[in-house]
mmCIF file of all heavy atoms in Angstrom:
data_model
loop_
_atom_site.group_PDB
_atom_site.id
_atom_site.type_symbol
_atom_site.label_atom_id
_atom_site.label_comp_id
_atom_site.label_asym_id
_atom_site.label_seq_id
_atom_site.Cartn_x
_atom_site.Cartn_y
_atom_site.Cartn_z
ATOM 1 N N GLN A 62 77.484 -31.018 40.623
ATOM 2 C CA GLN A 62 76.482 -30.236 41.440
ATOM 3 C C GLN A 62 76.526 -28.865 40.929
ATOM 4 O O GLN A 62 77.551 -28.195 40.831
ATOM 5 C CB GLN A 62 76.984 -30.240 42.948
ATOM 6 C CG GLN A 62 76.047 -29.648 43.854
ATOM 7 C CD GLN A 62 76.576 -29.621 45.333
ATOM 8 O OE1 GLN A 62 77.339 -28.788 45.675
ATOM 9 N NE2 GLN A 62 76.085 -30.502 46.236
ATOM 10 N N LEU A 63 75.327 -28.390 40.635
ATOM 11 C CA LEU A 63 75.183 -26.976 40.109
ATOM 12 C C LEU A 63 74.953 -25.954 41.148
ATOM 13 O O LEU A 63 74.023 -26.348 41.971
ATOM 14 C CB LEU A 63 73.942 -26.961 39.020
ATOM 15 C CG LEU A 63 73.735 -25.689 38.345
ATOM 16 C CD1 LEU A 63 74.974 -25.310 37.480
ATOM 17 C CD2 LEU A 63 72.467 -25.861 37.441
ATOM 18 N N CYS A 64 75.730 -24.973 41.247
ATOM 19 C CA CYS A 64 75.728 -24.005 42.402
ATOM 20 C C CYS A 64 75.654 -22.642 41.735
ATOM 21 O O CYS A 64 76.100 -22.560 40.613
ATOM 22 C CB CYS A 64 76.918 -24.103 43.243
ATOM 23 S SG CYS A 64 77.213 -25.731 43.896
ATOM 24 N N GLY A 65 74.953 -21.708 42.355
ATOM 25 C CA GLY A 65 75.077 -20.437 41.718
ATOM 26 C C GLY A 65 74.414 -19.287 42.394
ATOM 27 O O GLY A 65 73.623 -19.450 43.302
ATOM 28 N N GLY A 66 74.911 -18.186 41.859
ATOM 29 C CA GLY A 66 74.352 -16.883 42.212
ATOM 30 C C GLY A 66 73.291 -16.531 41.220
ATOM 31 O O GLY A 66 72.603 -15.579 41.286
ATOM 32 N N SER A 67 73.070 -17.203 40.077
ATOM 33 C CA SER A 67 72.334 -16.938 39.045
ATOM 34 C C SER A 67 71.104 -17.911 38.901
ATOM 35 O O SER A 67 71.350 -19.060 39.080
ATOM 36 C CB SER A 67 73.045 -16.978 37.641
ATOM 37 O OG SER A 67 72.187 -16.811 36.637
ATOM 38 N N VAL A 68 69.949 -17.397 38.880
ATOM 39 C CA VAL A 68 68.755 -18.250 38.671
ATOM 40 C C VAL A 68 68.069 -17.834 37.293
ATOM 41 O O VAL A 68 66.997 -18.174 37.017
ATOM 42 C CB VAL A 68 67.776 -17.991 39.861
ATOM 43 C CG1 VAL A 68 68.363 -18.571 41.140
ATOM 44 C CG2 VAL A 68 67.421 -16.567 39.967
ATOM 45 N N GLY A 69 68.883 -17.319 36.434
ATOM 46 C CA GLY A 69 68.376 -16.842 35.201
ATOM 47 C C GLY A 69 68.520 -17.945 34.032
ATOM 48 O O GLY A 69 68.550 -19.127 34.301
ATOM 49 N N GLU A 70 68.636 -17.534 32.837
ATOM 50 C CA GLU A 70 68.737 -18.354 31.663
ATOM 51 C C GLU A 70 69.935 -19.180 31.749
ATOM 52 O O GLU A 70 69.809 -20.440 31.367
ATOM 53 C CB GLU A 70 68.712 -17.512 30.469
ATOM 54 C CG GLU A 70 68.697 -18.334 29.108
ATOM 55 C CD GLU A 70 68.586 -17.515 27.841
ATOM 56 O OE1 GLU A 70 68.507 -16.203 28.059
ATOM 57 O OE2 GLU A 70 68.628 -18.124 26.872
ATOM 58 N N LEU A 71 71.043 -18.754 32.157
ATOM 59 C CA LEU A 71 72.190 -19.533 32.178
ATOM 60 C C LEU A 71 72.081 -20.812 33.111
ATOM 61 O O LEU A 71 72.430 -21.907 32.707
ATOM 62 C CB LEU A 71 73.414 -18.799 32.641
ATOM 63 C CG LEU A 71 74.784 -19.483 32.667
ATOM 64 C CD1 LEU A 71 75.207 -19.923 31.281
ATOM 65 C CD2 LEU A 71 75.928 -18.599 33.266
ATOM 66 N N GLY A 72 71.550 -20.529 34.344
ATOM 67 C CA GLY A 72 71.331 -21.576 35.280
ATOM 68 C C GLY A 72 70.298 -22.514 34.729
ATOM 69 O O GLY A 72 70.450 -23.883 34.936
ATOM 70 N N THR A 73 69.194 -22.143 34.034
ATOM 71 C CA THR A 73 68.334 -23.050 33.503
ATOM 72 C C THR A 73 68.857 -23.926 32.484
ATOM 73 O O THR A 73 68.664 -25.152 32.292
ATOM 74 C CB THR A 73 66.964 -22.234 32.849
ATOM 75 O OG1 THR A 73 66.464 -21.419 33.941
ATOM 76 C CG2 THR A 73 66.001 -23.110 32.186
ATOM 77 N N GLN A 74 69.670 -23.394 31.481
ATOM 78 C CA GLN A 74 70.298 -24.072 30.516
ATOM 79 C C GLN A 74 71.266 -25.172 30.976
ATOM 80 O O GLN A 74 71.390 -26.134 30.477
ATOM 81 C CB GLN A 74 70.946 -23.152 29.553
ATOM 82 C CG GLN A 74 70.001 -22.191 28.685
ATOM 83 C CD GLN A 74 70.618 -21.342 27.801
ATOM 84 O OE1 GLN A 74 71.833 -21.034 27.820
ATOM 85 N NE2 GLN A 74 69.926 -20.761 26.872
ATOM 86 N N LEU A 75 71.983 -24.774 31.957
ATOM 87 C CA LEU A 75 72.982 -25.707 32.634
ATOM 88 C C LEU A 75 72.227 -26.922 33.244
ATOM 89 O O LEU A 75 72.748 -27.962 33.098
ATOM 90 C CB LEU A 75 73.952 -25.019 33.686
ATOM 91 C CG LEU A 75 74.890 -24.057 33.033
ATOM 92 C CD1 LEU A 75 75.698 -23.290 34.220
ATOM 93 C CD2 LEU A 75 75.988 -24.878 32.330
ATOM 94 N N SER A 76 71.170 -26.639 33.889
ATOM 95 C CA SER A 76 70.357 -27.664 34.515
ATOM 96 C C SER A 76 69.926 -28.517 33.504
ATOM 97 O O SER A 76 69.963 -29.784 33.632
ATOM 98 C CB SER A 76 69.109 -27.118 35.295
ATOM 99 O OG SER A 76 69.548 -26.255 36.342
ATOM 100 N N ALA A 77 69.444 -28.070 32.364
ATOM 101 C CA ALA A 77 69.015 -28.868 31.151
ATOM 102 C C ALA A 77 70.239 -29.702 30.569
ATOM 103 O O ALA A 77 69.950 -30.823 30.298
ATOM 104 C CB ALA A 77 68.309 -28.064 30.131
ATOM 105 N N LEU A 78 71.354 -29.180 30.528
ATOM 106 C CA LEU A 78 72.462 -29.866 30.060
ATOM 107 C C LEU A 78 72.896 -31.053 30.956
ATOM 108 O O LEU A 78 73.111 -32.114 30.474
ATOM 109 C CB LEU A 78 73.679 -28.887 29.834
ATOM 110 C CG LEU A 78 75.019 -29.578 29.370
ATOM 111 C CD1 LEU A 78 74.893 -30.091 28.047
ATOM 112 C CD2 LEU A 78 76.058 -28.554 29.415
#
Side-chain angles (χ1 to χ4, degrees):
Q62 184 181 80
L63 185 60
C64 311
S67 169
V68 292
E70 184 177 358
L71 181 61
T73 301
Q74 292 176 347
L75 285 174
S76 296
L78 175 64

